[in-house]
């Protein structure tokens, strides 16, 4: 019994040594993955106020509850800007108050990377949500989607395209999934 603390110290020291050796095995890779600096010639980060969002509903199978939309973010500024990561999308009611809905940011269709959006150019992301009956419990119902590059649900409302007429276009969902921002529309919905 007196050897138990000694054995525990030896096992801890051995484990620490193995972890140090594993970390040193490939000095170019950190535990969180490779670290890459952004090219110095990229423009400044985009601002939400310089982007206009259009959300285009994609055709869905009649028996499916999954809805898919393509978000196009157009740079309305006179200068290029850069994007990386995700867009914050919030369901809002007619008064533009946020309607809480569980939201998941996915590393799809690829890992986030910094890219440039030219003045007048666009970036894209995909949205998928589980639709529900408006009267069902845990069904969030809204009239539009708000977007932001920040983490808070602040920002302008998006333009909705190819959605049913306004009286029928109320959005009803139990969950919202947001893909990574991409420079090409064909990449945005491949997940």
């Amino acid at each position: 019994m007196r050897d138990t603390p000694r054995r525990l110290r030896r096992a801890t020291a051995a484990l620490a040594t193995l972890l140090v050796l594993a970390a040193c095995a490939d000095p170019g890779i950190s535990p969180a993955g490779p670290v890459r600096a952004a090219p110095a010639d990229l423009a400044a980060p985009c601002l939400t106020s310089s982007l206009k969002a259009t959300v285009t509903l994609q055709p869905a199978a009649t028996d499916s509850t999954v809805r898919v939309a393509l978000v196009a973010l157009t740079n309305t500024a006179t200068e290029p800007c850069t994007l990386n990561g995700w867009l914050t999308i919030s369901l809002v009611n007619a008064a533009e108050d946020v309607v809480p809905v569980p939201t998941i940011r996915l590393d799809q269709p690829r890992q986030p990377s910094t890219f440039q959006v030219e003045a007048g150019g666009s970036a894209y992301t995909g949205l998928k949500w589980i639709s529900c009956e408006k009267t069902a419990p845990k069904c969030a119902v809204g009239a539009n989607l708000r977007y932001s590059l920040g983490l808070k649900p602040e920002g302008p409302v998006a333009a909705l395209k190819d959605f049913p007429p306004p009286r029928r276009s109320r959005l009803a969902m139990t969950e919202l999934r947001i893909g990574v921002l991409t420079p090409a529309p064909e990449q945005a919905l491949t997940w």
Side-chain angles (χ1 to χ4, degrees), residues 13-33:
L15 180 60
T17 302
L18 287 174
L19 290 173
V20 169
L21 289 175
C24 294
D26 189 353
I29 298 178
S30 69

Side-chain angles (χ1 to χ4, degrees), residues 54 56 58 67-73 85-87 106-110 115 122-128 177-191:
T54 302
T56 304
Q58 304 298 298
R67 300 292 179 258
V68 178
L70 176 68
V71 179
L73 286 173
W86 298 265
L87 191 61
L106 302 173
D107 287 340
Q108 298 292 335
R110 62 190 179 102
F115 61 94
S122 294
Y124 305 88
T125 189
L127 301 179
K128 290 186 182 181
R177 296 176 186 175
I178 304 171
V180 172
L181 289 163
T182 65
E186 60 272 7
Q187 294 175 345
L189 296 176
T190 59
W191 49 281

Side-chain angles (χ1 to χ4, degrees), residues 14 21 37 40 46 53 71 75 105 109-110 113 145 160 168:
L21 289 175
C46 295
V71 179
N75 180 3
R105 291 180 169 185
R110 62 190 179 102
S113 63
L145 298 169
L160 300 181
R168 296 186 55 217

Side-chain angles (χ1 to χ4, degrees), residues 141-156:
V141 180
N144 208 331
L145 298 169
R146 181 181 286 164
Y147 64 98
S148 171
L149 293 174
L151 295 175
K152 294 185 179 183
E154 301 166 349

Side-chain angles (χ1 to χ4, degrees), residues 95-168:
E96 296 185 15
D97 296 323
V98 174
V99 178
V101 61
T103 303
I104 302 168
R105 291 180 169 185
L106 302 173
D107 287 340
Q108 298 292 335
R110 62 190 179 102
Q111 291 292 315
S113 63
T114 302
F115 61 94
Q116 187 162 295
V117 182
E118 298 301 323
S122 294
Y124 305 88
T125 189
L127 301 179
K128 290 186 182 181
W129 65 90
I130 308 299
S131 64
C132 53
E133 291 296 325
K134 296 171 189 165
T135 57
K138 298 185 181 182
C139 184
V141 180
N144 208 331
L145 298 169
R146 181 181 286 164
Y147 64 98
S148 171
L149 293 174
L151 295 175
K152 294 185 179 183
E154 301 166 349
V157 294
L160 300 181
K161 183 178 175 186
D162 296 338
F163 280 77
R167 288 185 172 224
R168 296 186 55 217

